[in-house]
């Protein structure tokens, strides 16, 4: 069993008309900093939400010495009928994954 989460999110792209709503994310699937050949891909916020709701583990990532490391667990918080991705279970109606890289 890996000590790393199923998904490691390292960058976010916000909706052009709403800077509080994440559109897309850059992620590693089963990332291991000690292995070569880790490949990243893009996924939508909705795809990430689906993964979390299925019980897959998702964490934000921070880069250190050329490698990414898990930082904060990502939660899905439903507010007013909308799902948000957050690192804190608060009642703020915007996505919040901390200080990820932007793309």
């Amino acid at each position: 069993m890996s000590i790393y989460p199923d998904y490691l999110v390292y960058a976010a792209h916000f909706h052009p008309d709403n800077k509080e709503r994440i559109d897309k994310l850059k992620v590693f699937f089963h990332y291991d900093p000690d292995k070569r050949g880790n490949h990243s891909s893009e996924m939508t916020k909705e795809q990430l939400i689906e993964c979390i709701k299925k019980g897959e583990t998702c964490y934000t990532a921070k880069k250190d010495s050329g490698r990414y490391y898990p930082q904060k667990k990502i939660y899905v918080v439903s507010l007013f009928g909308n799902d948000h991705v957050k690192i804190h279970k608060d009642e703020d109606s915007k996505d919040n994954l901390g200080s990820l890289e932007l793309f």
Side-chain angles (χ1 to χ4, degrees), residues 58-71:
C58 302
Y59 279 71
T60 61
K62 183 175 182 181
K63 193 172 189 177
D64 183 31
S65 300
R67 297 177 178 183
Y68 288 94
Y69 294 95
Q71 295 297 301

Side-chain angles (χ1 to χ4, degrees), residues 4 12 16 18 27 30-31 55 63-64 74:
Y4 296 99
N18 183 349
V27 302
H30 290 287
Y31 179 79
K63 193 172 189 177
D64 183 31
I74 300 172

Side-chain angles (χ1 to χ4, degrees), residues 6-83:
D6 295 312
Y7 292 93
L8 200 57
V9 178
Y10 67 94
H13 180 271
F14 286 86
H15 189 279
D17 296 330
N18 183 349
K19 297 298 181 194
E20 296 180 345
R21 188 179 125 215
I22 293 173
D23 257 356
K24 300 181 282 187
L25 303 143
K26 288 190 178 182
V27 302
F28 290 107
F29 180 66
H30 290 287
Y31 179 79
D32 185 339
D34 296 324
K35 289 185 178 178
R36 294 182 184 263
N38 288 300
H39 295 287
S40 70
S41 61
E42 284 187 20
M43 68 173 23
T44 65
K45 180 178 93 171
E46 289 75 19
Q47 289 171 315
L48 181 69
I49 289 170
E50 187 177 310
C51 291
I52 294 169
K53 286 183 174 182
K54 287 193 300 189
E56 296 178 282
T57 55
C58 302
Y59 279 71
T60 61
K62 183 175 182 181
K63 193 172 189 177
D64 183 31
S65 300
R67 297 177 178 183
Y68 288 94
Y69 294 95
Q71 295 297 301
K72 303 273 185 175
K73 185 172 182 174
I74 300 172
Y75 301 96
V76 174
V77 178
S78 296
L79 298 167
F80 310 110
N82 296 311
D83 287 335

